[in-house]
Amino acid sequence: MENNRFETPVTVKSAAAGPNQLLRSAREASDYLLNSWPGKRSPKHREALQACHDALAGDKPAMIARRAFIAAAREVNVFVSDKAPA
């Protein structure tokens, strides 16, 4: 099942000082968690990574991964918005 796109993208601060990043899927969120994560690898980070993996495997809906990612992003202050871009 390759339906891991988020219904509404999540905006996070870029790891570099560049523009914010728009994450549209569990795959993009997983990549951010693995390669651009600025904070410590907390239990919320691990839960988000597992939720993304489960969504990519088709075991859970992308909405679960999105929620877990937002919780982890808020914990390390990289979360910007969960609203659709204008």
Side-chain angles (χ1 to χ4, degrees):
M1 179 178 178
E2 191 55 39
N3 188 9
N4 61 52
R5 293 192 66 78
F6 296 156
E7 197 171 302
T8 305
V10 176
T11 305
V12 291
K13 293 178 186 171
S14 175
N20 292 337
Q21 287 184 261
L22 192 63
L23 307 178
R24 295 179 178 90
S25 68
R27 183 168 311 284
E28 290 177 3
S30 176
D31 183 58
Y32 187 89
L33 287 162
L34 289 170
N35 301 312
S36 300
W37 197 248
K40 66 178 184 145
R41 310 268 169 149
S42 69
K44 284 187 181 182
H45 176 272
R46 287 190 295 279
E47 288 170 18
L49 200 51
Q50 183 63 52
C52 288
H53 174 76
D54 291 345
L56 291 170
D59 295 334
K60 297 212 171 140
M63 174 183 61
I64 303 280
R66 185 177 179 277
R67 278 192 208 138
F69 180 86
I70 289 170
R74 282 187 167 133
E75 183 177 56
V76 295
N77 296 316
V78 296
F79 176 75
V80 174
S81 174
D82 63 351
K83 307 288 185 238

